[in-house]
Amino acid sequence: MKCLVWDLDRTLWSGTLLEGFEPTLSDEIRETIVELDRRGILQSVASRNDHDHAWEWLEKLGVAEYFVLPQIGWGAKSESVREIADKLNFAHSTIAFIDDQPTERAEVTYHLPEVRCYPAEQVAELLSLEEFTPATITVDSARRREMYQAGFRRDTARAEHAGPDEDFLRSLDLVMTIGRATEQELARAEELTLRTSQMNATGVHYSDADLRALLADPDHEVLVVTMADRFGPHGAVGLLLLEKLGKAWHLKLLATSCRVVAFGAGAVLLRWLATETAEAGAHLVADFRKTERNRMMEVAYRFAGFRTEDCECLAAVGTQDVQHLHLVPQRHEPPTTMTLDAVRLA
């Protein structure tokens, strides 16, 4: 599951606000909210209540910050759940809904049959259920909610910005950090090789064991790219696997999250890497394997100056089942739409 949608009355708390009930939160429910958040599962609210009154109580109980896109009003629960899924751009099959009323669960199931529904008395079991237990919890899992909330604020500001989009990008104070992968980042690095498709140069999956082997090899760099701006973190958004072979630097994989394409992250990485290679007096050779979805990555390589021409440096790389794109050494300045900071190389 990617998101759990909570009912409030007689579910999150035991009584009904309209009947004058003053809510308390059980230790069990508070623990469930906090742990689901740590696991990277978003949470929201679909409740028939006065919005301001209900939200005030969520704030008093200290859990309001855990809920994204709350739908508190008088409409059908199915419409509330649908709106949450649409705004998050999540498939209905990744949404769960918990409510004390069988009729409410039935109404959601009728209109949204892929949404999983749970009775309120099952709260105690949620943390032990397979669908709420990710196989791995990455370094970004615990801050997933924070990243989504920052994204909502960013999108609002972008919609309200009256000038050119480039001016808005400059106003974000974007910072990219490139660093050698840490132990805590390996799970996220593997995830990037597995789940990133449009901005993935080869589509090759590198397992945790593969990445650890490369980390242990002094000729290889496993570089994780993170981003942040004035609204908050974007988290780990890119991965570079680089082999240094004397006068040839071999870029085995470049993968960036699709959510940072609009910020020009791929172009910044390629320009930075081209400059690093040029300063080392080496040629940069990049692997590229065309897939059904990575046309954007091929375009990014071409715009960065990569070509398929022959060069002596290709002999050092060997003959893999990939296309080799070659870049003649030259310095490149990063685009002004992004600030490059804290570039760390082991």
Side-chain angles (χ1 to χ4, degrees):
M1 292 291 108
K2 289 186 175 182
C3 179
L4 173 64
V5 181
W6 293 80
D7 173 44
L8 296 180
D9 291 336
R10 295 186 300 276
T11 301
L12 193 77
W13 49 62
S14 59
T16 303
L17 287 183
L18 288 178
E19 295 174 356
F21 174 75
E22 294 194 358
T24 58
L25 208 61
S26 71
D27 291 341
E28 185 177 64
I29 287 181
R30 188 181 297 275
E31 178 187 350
T32 299
I33 293 171
V34 172
E35 178 59 19
L36 288 176
D37 188 71
R38 187 190 73 84
R39 295 180 184 183
I41 297 172
L42 300 182
Q43 296 168 88
S44 190
V45 171
S47 172
R48 284 205 181 91
N49 261 303
D50 175 77
H51 178 279
D52 293 344
H53 189 204
W55 192 251
E56 180 184 6
W57 272 108
L58 289 170
E59 289 180 327
K60 287 180 180 179
L61 294 170
V63 293
E65 64 180 305
Y66 289 96
F67 299 108
V68 302
L69 303 172
Q71 302 299 307
I72 304 173
W74 305 107
K77 295 284 183 70
S78 62
E79 285 306 307
S80 294
V81 174
R82 187 194 305 275
E83 185 163 354
I84 292 165
D86 288 349
K87 287 183 177 180
L88 289 172
N89 197 27
F90 285 178
H92 292 171
S93 59
T94 67
I95 304 291
F97 173 63
I98 187 164
D99 194 294
D100 66 297
Q101 293 293 317
T103 53
E104 298 285 16
R105 299 196 300 271
E107 190 267 339
V108 169
T109 297
Y110 179 80
H111 292 286
L112 306 171
E114 290 186 295
V115 172
R116 294 198 193 190
C117 294
Y118 301 83
E121 55 266 29
Q122 206 170 346
V123 165
E125 303 174 33
L126 294 182
L127 294 179
S128 64
L129 296 178
E130 183 180 358
E131 58 266 34
F132 293 102
T133 309
T136 59
I137 299 176
T138 71
V139 69
D140 282 346
S141 296
R143 55 184 177 182
R144 183 162 290 136
R145 166 181 48 87
E146 183 185 355
M147 291 191 290
Y148 270 89
Q149 290 169 332
F152 299 145
R153 295 191 296 271
R154 190 180 301 113
D155 290 344
T156 298
R158 193 170 200 164
E160 294 173 351
H161 184 75
D165 198 50
E166 187 172 310
D167 290 346
F168 174 75
L169 291 178
R170 288 195 177 98
S171 77
L172 289 176
D173 299 326
L174 281 160
V175 175
M176 175 184 284
T177 303
I178 306 169
R180 199 163 192 260
T182 64
E183 179 75 23
Q184 294 75 25
E185 291 174 322
L186 283 179
R188 174 57 178 157
E190 179 185 1
E191 187 178 63
L192 282 165
T193 75
L194 187 63
R195 299 178 61 178
T196 304
S197 57
Q198 292 185 41
M199 293 299 289
N200 187 315
T202 66
V204 175
H205 170 230
Y206 286 80
S207 68
D208 181 271
D210 293 332
L211 294 172
R212 288 179 186 277
L214 293 179
L215 269 176
D217 185 343
D219 293 332
H220 281 83
E221 296 284 1
V222 180
L223 304 176
V224 172
V225 182
T226 61
M227 280 175 52
D229 61 30
R230 62 187 173 93
F231 290 103
H234 294 262
V237 298
L239 177 69
L240 295 92
L241 302 182
L242 182 68
E243 183 179 16
K244 295 181 178 179
L245 300 166
K247 292 298 183 179
W249 284 17
H250 181 197
L251 181 57
K252 293 184 172 181
L253 177 71
L254 171 61
T256 64
S257 172
C258 296
R259 55 191 166 88
V260 294
V261 169
F263 302 132
V268 170
L269 285 170
L270 288 172
R271 289 179 183 229
W272 169 80
L273 186 56
T275 297
E276 292 289 308
T277 309
E279 290 180 348
H283 285 211
L284 183 58
V285 180
D287 287 353
F288 180 78
R289 179 185 284 112
K290 186 175 292 187
T291 69
E292 294 180 357
R293 294 177 56 81
N294 70 349
R295 171 63 179 166
M296 290 173 64
M297 181 60 82
E298 183 177 17
V299 171
Y301 273 137
R302 299 297 184 184
F303 269 101
F306 284 84
R307 300 291 182 264
T308 54
E309 60 198 32
D310 290 332
C311 177
E312 292 182 3
C313 67
L314 297 181
V317 173
T319 57
Q320 293 89 1
D321 183 25
V322 290
Q323 181 180 9
H324 294 308
L325 303 179
H326 169 251
L327 182 64
V328 176
Q330 56 183 309
R331 286 190 57 84
H332 294 262
E333 294 301 323
T336 56
T337 53
M338 183 173 290
T339 301
L340 217 59
D341 188 32
V343 178
R344 310 183 308 275
L345 286 176

